[in-house]
Amino acid sequence: MNPLISAAPVIAAGLAVGLASIGPGVGQGTAAGQAVEGIARQPEAEGKIRGTSLLSSAFMEALTIHGPVVAPAPSFANPSVQPVFIRNKK
């Protein structure tokens, strides 16, 4: 079997985990910076700003966790690769 066919799902899973972590990481940094800036401009609205930023951080964190959980799926669902327990059976 072509080694590229065997390696493609693993490479895809690695790229998916990396890309799924980069986006929310940048978003969380931007959101935190904007929240601090908003509190500095309007200290009386600190409670509303903090609540909204915590909620949005929770959603971004859920996206960050979702990526590594779903990304390995192509490694196990590749129809071109025969499972090890069938391949070693004689």
Side-chain angles (χ1 to χ4, degrees):
M1 175 183 293
N2 189 352
L4 186 60
I5 293 174
S6 299
V10 177
I11 294 169
L15 285 172
V17 169
L19 294 175
S21 299
I22 289 173
V26 171
Q28 282 180 337
T30 303
Q34 294 295 320
V36 169
E37 186 178 329
I39 291 170
R41 288 184 182 192
Q42 278 189 310
E44 65 275 1
E46 178 184 3
K48 289 179 109 177
I49 294 171
R50 183 185 306 140
T52 304
S53 71
L54 284 174
L55 183 65
S56 64
S57 289
F59 287 132
M60 286 184 270
E61 195 66 33
L63 286 174
T64 305
I65 293 169
H66 185 75
V69 169
V70 174
S75 299
F76 301 110
N78 188 356
S80 302
V81 178
Q82 195 174 29
V84 175
F85 63 88
I86 293 174
R87 195 178 333 145
N88 292 336
K89 202 175 198 182
K90 296 201 180 184

